[in-house]
Amino acid sequence: CTTPISSLCCTCGVPIPPNPANMCVACLRTQVDISEGIPKQVTVHFCKQCERYLQPPASWVQCALESRELLALCLKKIKSSMTKVRLIDAGFLWTEPHSKRIKMKVTIQKEVMNGAILQQVFVVEFVIQYQMCDDCHRVEAKDFWKAVVQVRQKTVHKKTFYYLEQLILKHKLHQNALNIKEIHDGIDFYYGSKQHAQKMVDFLQCTVPCRSKTSQRLISHDIHSNTYNYKSTFSMEIVPVCKDNVVCLSPRLAQSLGNMGQVCVCVRVTSTIHLIDPNTLQIAEVDGNTYWRNPFNSLCNPRQLEEFIVMDTDVIRDQKLGAGAGMRSNKHTLAEVWVQKTSEMNTSQQYHCRTFLGHLLNIGDLVLGFDFANSNVNDEYLNKMNPHHVPDVVLIKKSYDRNRRAKRRNWKLQEMDKDREGMDTDDERQYQDFLEDLEEDEALRKNVNIYRDASKIPVESDTDDDGAPRISLVEMLEELSLTDATGEEGADMMTD
């Protein structure tokens, strides 16, 4: 039987296994501190606005508390002082999330006297200091921007802009904007980088028919590093045609769209302009490139529409189309109607026309239309048309009681936060028109997030049902609000 060899510690005389230093661990630690030179308290900068940490020299990274990313960032802060030791382990110690302190337990090894390897565990405390990052500085400044997207549409009505706003909200493209300004005939989006502006331009070109122009202005130039600082401007012009506009196509364009009539009604504007011929029910789609090659304008604005009452209606069952005709609409019904203006009920003046609203109109219904017979329209293509081919009246849509529809409406839309300048008093009426369009057009509201309005209880009664279209509860979303367990708004991650 062999006994283990032991020796005495040269300092305290305790029997220990032989080691190159001839000292016990306790005495060795009193003689040598291998964590010397490693800071025990370090400052970490944190941005409260975007909840990111500064990773020197100038990058900001998103890190959750006690995550691997935060551990790596903290170790980099003390990496330069640990060149002479070996890192064995590192981990977080629990601290109160609101304390602005992060504690990390670090285990290191180092070779000391005569080749002996000493291991030591110590705690490094990281103090969080608030510092606003450059991106948040630009957001707070409001006027600092590197790129602007100017969206314009030369129309009286803003239906296309309201639809575009809902698309931007649905795809969350407004989050990168430093500021959004609403002006008389459009919206300006300000961005801190050209890439974010280019992303918005690409989105607009995919969602609405438009054309773009790009320009840039030199702000500064560093001759030593040969770097240039530009401000970029993207000008986006949306086609000047909105839903429910009456348009007159050029003969060439009407022929290329399937020999449809020149006088058409715009039933929808999405990524293309959807047109319908009220005489034949022919439908066609005109994209942005086709429009700018063969432009056409609206013959009337919504204020010029007049109210008619249906005196007689006759559905046309078998309508034969000519050679080369395009597609016909399956959602509409062709009919011949006799109408009379509600403002001329004391006279016997009636108007005869064809309409695509045969599936909606009955005798006695009210309908909005444009009176060509008593109007003076200055349009290049309309003036060259044969007067016998120009209809007396073009009916646009059935009219319902607006106040009754507003009371029954139990849903709402979200809106972007934007600065308004020089707003027209007609905006509220135009917004109500857009809400009614969503109720009437199922295809249009597929691209829009509609939220149930919990604060509004619709009043239902048998006498109120006038056949006005509604949005079903299935199509509505619940509006989410982030609350904590107490039902109050959640607090920030860190507070003073």
Side-chain angles (χ1 to χ4, degrees), residues 267-326:
V267 292
R268 192 181 306 118
V269 177
T270 54
S271 57
T272 56
I273 305 171
H274 298 253
L275 301 175
I276 187 169
D277 184 356
N279 287 322
T280 61
L281 285 189
Q282 273 187 253
I283 54 174
E285 295 184 13
V286 179
D287 59 13
N289 293 331
T290 305
Y291 175 85
W292 298 117
R293 286 197 301 268
N294 302 279
F296 51 86
N297 296 315
S298 172
L299 303 180
C300 65
N301 62 56
R303 290 183 178 180
Q304 294 174 314
L305 296 181
E306 299 191 53
E307 192 176 59
F308 295 85
I309 185 168
V310 179
M311 308 303 292
D312 190 18
T313 178
D314 182 20
V315 175
I316 301 174
R317 301 294 179 186
D318 299 320
Q319 168 71 16
K320 294 183 180 180
L321 298 178

Side-chain angles (χ1 to χ4, degrees), residues 173-193:
L173 285 174
H174 63 294
Q175 294 180 342
N176 293 325
L178 301 179
N179 193 19
I180 302 174
K181 281 187 179 180
E182 183 176 350
I183 59 175
H184 178 63
D185 57 349
I187 305 177
D188 291 345
F189 297 88
Y190 294 90
Y191 293 94
S193 69

Side-chain angles (χ1 to χ4, degrees), residues 247-251 262-263 297-299 370 372 375-391:
V247 298
C248 184
L249 310 179
S250 65
Q262 287 183 247
V263 178
N297 296 315
S298 172
L299 303 180
F370 183 62
F372 275 98
S375 62
N376 184 14
V377 180
N378 184 18
D379 184 79
E380 176 186 0
Y381 303 121
L382 187 69
N383 293 338
K384 294 178 181 179
M385 281 183 64
N386 187 339
H388 299 290
H389 295 163
V390 179

Side-chain angles (χ1 to χ4, degrees), residues 1-12:
C1 178
T2 58
T3 58
I5 300 175
S6 63
S7 62
L8 299 178
C9 173
C10 65
T11 302
C12 63

Side-chain angles (χ1 to χ4, degrees), residues 12-228:
C12 63
V14 175
I16 58 170
N19 62 61
N22 282 330
M23 295 175 68
C24 64
V25 175
C27 294
L28 193 58
R29 283 180 176 166
T30 59
Q31 298 292 326
V32 180
D33 182 13
I34 64 174
S35 66
E36 186 178 3
I38 301 176
K40 304 301 187 293
Q41 192 173 62
V42 185
T43 301
V44 176
H45 293 97
F46 175 76
C47 178
K48 287 197 297 185
Q49 273 73 13
C50 59
E51 297 188 350
R52 293 188 298 175
Y53 292 88
L54 174 63
Q55 184 173 3
S59 60
W60 292 81
V61 292
Q62 195 95 25
C63 301
L65 288 176
E66 299 192 6
S67 63
R68 294 177 60 183
E69 293 80 10
L70 185 58
L71 184 66
L73 186 141
C74 293
L75 287 174
K76 285 181 181 179
K77 299 285 286 186
I78 59 175
K79 182 180 178 181
S80 59
S81 60
M82 296 176 58
T83 54
K84 297 181 180 180
V85 297
R86 181 184 177 190
L87 179 64
I88 301 300
D89 188 28
F92 288 108
L93 296 176
W94 187 85
T95 54
E96 181 67 37
H98 300 278
S99 65
K100 297 196 291 185
R101 297 289 188 275
I102 299 174
K103 291 186 177 181
M104 185 173 66
K105 184 174 73 172
V106 182
T107 305
I108 57 173
Q109 283 183 354
K110 184 180 180 182
E111 185 176 330
V112 292
M113 302 176 181
N114 301 322
I117 296 177
L118 184 63
Q119 181 170 306
Q120 185 174 341
V121 179
F122 63 98
V123 176
V124 180
E125 185 181 62
F126 295 88
V127 180
I128 295 177
Q129 287 190 355
Y130 293 141
Q131 177 180 330
M132 190 178 290
C133 65
D134 293 340
D135 294 337
C136 293
H137 260 299
R138 291 165 186 165
V139 173
E140 291 297 321
K142 299 283 186 187
D143 57 349
F144 183 88
W145 53 273
K146 286 190 174 180
V148 58
V149 180
Q150 299 175 336
V151 187
R152 300 289 183 269
Q153 187 183 32
K154 298 175 182 177
T155 56
V156 177
H157 207 287
K158 298 181 179 180
K159 285 184 180 180
T160 307
F161 277 116
Y162 290 134
Y163 173 68
L164 188 60
E165 178 185 15
Q166 296 304 316
L167 287 179
I168 292 173
L169 285 169
K170 183 174 183 178
H171 294 88
K172 299 181 180 178
L173 285 174
H174 63 294
Q175 294 180 342
N176 293 325
L178 301 179
N179 193 19
I180 302 174
K181 281 187 179 180
E182 183 176 350
I183 59 175
H184 178 63
D185 57 349
I187 305 177
D188 291 345
F189 297 88
Y190 294 90
Y191 293 94
S193 69
K194 187 177 179 180
Q195 290 76 17
H196 289 153
Q198 186 64 55
K199 186 177 179 182
M200 171 62 83
V201 170
D202 295 339
F203 174 78
L204 292 174
Q205 290 176 336
C206 294
T207 51
V208 289
C210 58
R211 62 179 175 182
S212 64
K213 292 181 182 178
T214 306
S215 64
Q216 57 184 12
R217 181 162 59 96
L218 180 65
I219 303 301
S220 61
H221 172 212
D222 187 351
I223 60 174
H224 300 291
S225 60
N226 202 30
T227 56
Y228 297 83

Side-chain angles (χ1 to χ4, degrees), residues 78 154 165 201 233 237 259 268 288 348 367 395 407 476 490:
I78 59 175
K154 298 175 182 177
E165 178 185 15
V201 170
T233 301
E237 184 181 358
N259 289 327
R268 192 181 306 118
S348 60
V367 61
L395 301 182
K407 288 180 181 179
M476 300 181 195

Side-chain angles (χ1 to χ4, degrees), residues 350-459:
Q350 293 188 4
Y351 303 92
H352 175 263
C353 65
R354 281 193 174 189
T355 181
F356 57 93
L357 302 175
H359 59 297
L360 296 176
L361 298 182
N362 297 305
I363 297 175
D365 286 345
L366 297 177
V367 61
L368 296 177
F370 183 62
D371 181 11
F372 275 98
N374 300 308
S375 62
N376 184 14
V377 180
N378 184 18
D379 184 79
E380 176 186 0
Y381 303 121
L382 187 69
N383 293 338
K384 294 178 181 179
M385 281 183 64
N386 187 339
H388 299 290
H389 295 163
V390 179
D392 291 339
V393 172
V394 175
L395 301 182
I396 305 298
K397 63 178 181 179
K398 188 175 178 179
S399 178
Y400 301 96
D401 188 338
R402 169 165 286 186
N403 293 330
R404 191 179 296 174
R405 290 181 74 171
K407 288 180 181 179
R408 278 200 308 237
R409 191 172 293 134
N410 60 339
W411 54 273
K412 60 183 178 179
L413 300 176
Q414 289 185 336
E415 294 185 28
M416 289 190 299
D417 294 330
K418 48 185 180 284
D419 297 338
R420 296 173 180 263
E421 294 181 3
M423 289 294 98
D424 197 348
T425 55
D426 199 36
D427 282 356
E428 181 59 31
R429 187 186 66 83
Q430 295 183 12
Y431 189 68
Q432 292 298 321
D433 286 345
F434 174 68
L435 297 182
E436 292 174 3
D437 289 343
L438 288 178
E439 291 176 334
E440 295 166 9
D441 193 344
E442 183 179 355
L444 191 67
R445 63 176 180 261
K446 283 182 179 178
N447 299 323
V448 176
N449 284 341
I450 296 171
Y451 296 91
R452 189 172 68 87
D453 192 353
S455 63
K456 202 168 183 182
I457 302 175
V459 179

